[in-house]
Amino acid sequence: MKTEQLYSLYKPLLFSLAYRMLGSVMDAEDIVQEAFLTLYKSNSDHIQNMKAYMCKIVTNRCLELLRSTRKQREVYVGTWLPEPLVTTASDETDPMQSYLQKESVSTAYLLLLQQLSYMERAVFLLREAMQYDYEEIADIVGKSSTNCRQIFHRAKRSLGGKFIPDNLDRLDQEKTTNLVEQFMHALASADASQVLKFLSTDAVLFTDGGGKVKALTQPLHGNVRISHSVSNFLGKWPGSFTYRFAMVNGLPGIVVYRDEKTWAVISFKFRDSRIIHFYFVSNPDKLKHVHESNDFT
């Protein structure tokens, strides 16, 4: 099979693996491109299992990148959130977007994975998400199958049974989209009492400015405090604001624009039709891949 055909076949799977390992759209895209460039330059005739071979390249590149950037994460200013993965209606026919809609890539899930060590994350994803057996995983990560089995069970214990896929069926998606739209209208109304109606009593607000823009340095807990903090948040900065609804990490979310430039991406975790987690990414370095508003006019 030609490299171009392999690219079309395996790119969605490999991007999904890299993105969940790294929490970075741009780094995941770069690593997948590098993996196929490596394949193109190599003699692939001897490769018996192309999928496992490509997963091995991507997994190890991810591990190398995570280790080399460990210090950056340790000194990161404020709360770290993954780069938002934003898709639009025009992406629905894209095979990669169709694949990702079926995968667990929600912000909440990616943050859960951050609780694991790099190796635990790799083994967990290869086993849980990609259904590899331990012998295959051992070959990919360079450890024994027994060790991989132990790593997987340790990772699962660390997550404490909190891994629950956030994929929505069509009815759930329509309901959640409606809730997100109503919530954004409440935000735009600058009425804290209206915002409060959508928040669970134990809601948590996470903001990521990365030290580049103003943001909370710690998560904000409690529905009342959050409602007062975010109501009329658009009125706190100069400029002309617009917003659109989009799928953010596979779930309904919001992209906010300031003077037609991407300013923030908002995603949520819902529980019983209320917002339990509210994720606000405004670090400009994490928004470079998100379309500007004039791309949709």
Side-chain angles (χ1 to χ4, degrees):
M1 192 179 293
K2 294 182 179 180
T3 305
E4 294 81 2
Q5 295 172 302
L6 292 170
Y7 185 80
S8 298
L9 180 63
Y10 291 124
K11 181 188 176 183
L13 177 142
L14 296 173
F15 175 83
S16 173
L17 173 60
Y19 178 57
R20 285 182 284 185
M21 280 288 295
L22 304 171
S24 169
V25 174
M26 293 182 286
D27 286 340
E29 289 176 341
D30 287 345
I31 281 180
V32 172
Q33 294 287 348
E34 290 174 10
F36 280 101
L37 184 60
T38 300
L39 176 66
Y40 179 76
K41 292 179 178 179
S42 66
N43 179 7
S44 59
D45 294 340
H46 68 286
I47 301 173
Q48 296 182 344
N49 187 332
M50 183 60 68
K51 177 182 172 183
Y53 178 79
M54 296 303 292
C55 282
K56 182 175 184 176
I57 294 176
V58 168
T59 299
N60 285 290
R61 292 283 173 85
C62 287
L63 290 171
E64 290 170 5
L65 181 60
L66 286 167
R67 289 170 183 140
S68 67
T69 57
R70 184 196 302 267
K71 187 63 178 178
Q72 294 177 22
R73 181 69 62 84
E74 290 173 352
V75 299
Y76 193 83
V77 178
T79 301
W80 181 93
L81 293 175
E83 280 183 16
L85 179 61
V86 179
T87 56
T88 66
S90 61
D91 296 319
E92 290 180 355
T93 57
D94 185 333
M96 187 167 81
Q97 303 303 339
S98 298
Y99 178 87
L100 290 172
Q101 290 300 322
K102 301 172 185 176
E103 296 296 302
S104 294
V105 292
S106 72
T107 305
Y109 178 51
L110 294 178
L111 288 175
L112 272 181
L113 292 176
Q114 295 301 311
Q115 298 177 17
L116 304 176
S117 71
Y118 303 149
M119 185 58 68
E120 286 174 342
R121 200 180 311 165
V123 171
F124 180 81
L125 287 170
L126 291 168
R127 177 64 177 169
E128 185 78 24
M130 303 202 168
Q131 302 296 304
Y132 278 117
D133 62 38
Y134 291 111
E135 292 291 339
E136 292 173 309
I137 297 171
D139 180 63
I140 290 172
V141 301
K143 294 184 178 293
S144 70
S145 59
T146 301
N147 198 355
C148 288
R149 186 187 298 273
Q150 293 170 343
I151 292 171
F152 174 75
H153 289 296
R154 185 167 67 242
K156 208 159 189 179
R157 285 196 303 271
S158 296
L159 296 180
K162 292 177 285 188
F163 166 57
I164 302 175
D166 291 297
N167 310 74
L168 300 175
D169 60 30
R170 182 169 295 277
L171 290 176
D172 285 339
Q173 183 174 317
E174 290 176 358
K175 180 179 178 181
T176 304
T177 299
N178 187 47
L179 285 170
V180 169
E181 290 175 352
Q182 292 178 47
F183 177 71
M184 190 62 205
H185 294 322
L187 281 181
S189 74
D191 187 338
S193 63
Q194 290 299 314
V195 173
L196 185 64
K197 294 178 181 178
F198 294 90
L199 301 173
S200 175
T201 55
D202 54 349
V204 185
L205 168 64
F206 302 87
T207 64
D208 180 348
K212 306 293 179 69
V213 297
K214 186 177 180 181
L216 300 173
T217 57
Q218 297 291 332
L220 184 64
H221 296 259
N223 57 344
V224 175
R225 295 176 70 194
I226 294 172
S227 64
H228 285 291
S229 175
V230 303
S231 61
N232 194 31
F233 78 104
L234 297 181
K236 297 177 182 177
W237 286 270
S240 173
F241 287 89
T242 56
Y243 60 87
R244 68 178 173 90
F245 302 106
M247 296 300 286
V248 180
N249 290 79
L251 299 170
I254 303 164
V255 182
V256 182
Y257 302 96
R258 179 181 178 185
D259 298 328
E260 297 189 341
K261 300 295 183 182
T262 306
W263 183 69
V265 174
I266 304 172
S267 57
F268 308 91
K269 181 176 180 63
F270 282 89
R271 184 181 67 196
D272 299 329
S273 299
R274 292 288 184 271
I275 296 169
I276 178 66
H277 289 164
F278 180 1
Y279 308 102
F280 190 99
V281 178
S282 56
N283 181 346
D285 292 342
K286 295 186 176 183
L287 303 176
K288 292 177 181 178
H289 61 286
V290 181
H291 295 299
E292 304 294 358
S293 62
N294 51 18
D295 292 337
F296 298 90
T297 56

